[in-house]
Amino acid sequence: MNRLKHQLIVAAIAAAAAIGGCVQAQAAVYTWSRHNLTFETPDGGWVTYNSNTRFEIRWDEMVMTVQLYEKRDGDTKIIEDNLRRKAADFNMYDTKVEKLKVSGFDSKCISGTMPDGSRGLIADLVSKKSHIIAEITVNYLMGNRETVEDMVKSFAENKQQQPHREKHKQKVQKKSDADREQKQQNQQPKPAAKPKPEKYFDV
């Protein structure tokens, strides 16, 4: 089958049930078998679009879209121009082009503020091993930036290998919490939590 499907491994349920009375956020792991592409998202999202080349998932306060393209000669040289053009299409302002290190990919991203005051990030991941370019677009609240970076960094082409993992996973942040965090940006971050149990999805 060519599409992402939602098949929860029973072991993940058992592992979650074994946590006595402790409610923890889980990470959902998706594998796009047709393209041998694996990535992680916070648990609790719902898939709103799913095809051979496009995937969209939503939470109450965040949306992520993954669009796949075929790589051609010279694409890596025009990535930054493409990112700026995409940001302009969203009327994004206060934009900043950054490098985001993703294992196995040449990657760049642009972030900025959307017209409604929320944040936007567009990342182009150019595979070093295959013909794939993965374009990831995320609309999020300011307090979710770390979660967004975790999602982008989790992309990996070999599904037999575990993708990049940070020491902790954040839940998708509510607007009230994001507003509070924006006022406290200069404070020291909280210590990393223990790794969360994960759900696994495969085709």
Side-chain angles (χ1 to χ4, degrees):
M1 295 184 185
N2 294 335
R3 297 187 176 189
L4 286 169
K5 290 191 175 179
H6 306 265
Q7 183 179 7
L8 181 61
I9 290 181
V10 176
I13 301 176
I19 304 171
C22 181
V23 180
Q24 291 186 318
Q26 295 178 328
V29 180
Y30 290 90
T31 298
W32 216 328
S33 293
R34 178 183 177 87
H35 306 288
N36 205 20
L37 194 65
T38 300
F39 58 93
E40 298 180 13
T41 73
D43 195 19
W46 63 95
V47 176
T48 54
Y49 193 85
N50 178 10
S51 75
N52 293 341
T53 57
R54 185 178 176 88
F55 178 78
E56 183 178 291
I57 185 168
R58 290 177 174 266
W59 296 261
D60 287 337
E61 307 289 353
M62 187 166 70
V63 182
M64 181 178 79
T65 301
V66 184
Q67 179 72 54
L68 300 184
Y69 298 99
E70 185 175 357
K71 181 172 64 176
R72 294 180 176 86
D73 291 341
D75 278 344
T76 54
K77 298 178 182 179
I78 60 173
I79 287 296
E80 186 171 328
D81 289 340
N82 286 338
L83 288 172
R84 292 187 185 280
R85 191 158 47 244
K86 293 273 186 176
D89 288 344
F90 284 113
N91 294 319
M92 199 183 292
Y93 60 94
D94 292 339
T95 56
K96 180 182 179 182
V97 175
E98 308 168 71
K99 271 201 167 185
L100 200 58
K101 189 173 181 180
V102 183
S103 180
F105 297 88
D106 290 320
S107 56
K108 275 194 177 181
C109 72
I110 188 168
S111 61
T113 304
M114 303 292 274
D116 64 358
S118 63
R119 300 290 294 172
L121 182 142
I122 309 168
D124 277 356
L125 310 185
V126 182
S127 172
K128 295 178 180 178
K129 302 175 183 177
S130 72
H131 63 283
I132 288 175
I133 296 178
E135 184 170 273
I136 305 153
T137 304
V138 192
N139 184 211
Y140 63 101
L141 298 175
M142 181 171 288
N144 284 322
R145 173 64 190 231
E146 187 175 352
T147 299
V148 171
E149 289 191 6
D150 282 352
M151 289 195 300
V152 175
K153 290 177 181 178
S154 76
F155 276 72
E157 269 200 279
N158 188 346
K159 69 178 181 180
Q160 303 302 325
Q161 297 175 354
Q162 294 296 336
H164 171 90
R165 278 189 180 78
E166 298 294 335
K167 293 183 179 179
H168 67 288
K169 287 283 176 185
Q170 295 181 333
K171 293 182 180 179
V172 178
Q173 197 171 45
K174 301 294 183 184
K175 188 176 188 309
S176 57
D177 295 331
D179 292 341
R180 190 179 309 114
E181 173 138 348
Q182 190 170 4
K183 294 177 183 178
Q184 299 173 346
Q185 290 177 64
N186 298 326
Q187 293 185 355
Q188 292 293 325
K190 294 181 180 179
K194 293 181 179 179
K196 307 299 188 295
E198 295 177 332
K199 291 181 180 179
Y200 288 85
F201 301 84
D202 204 346
V203 175

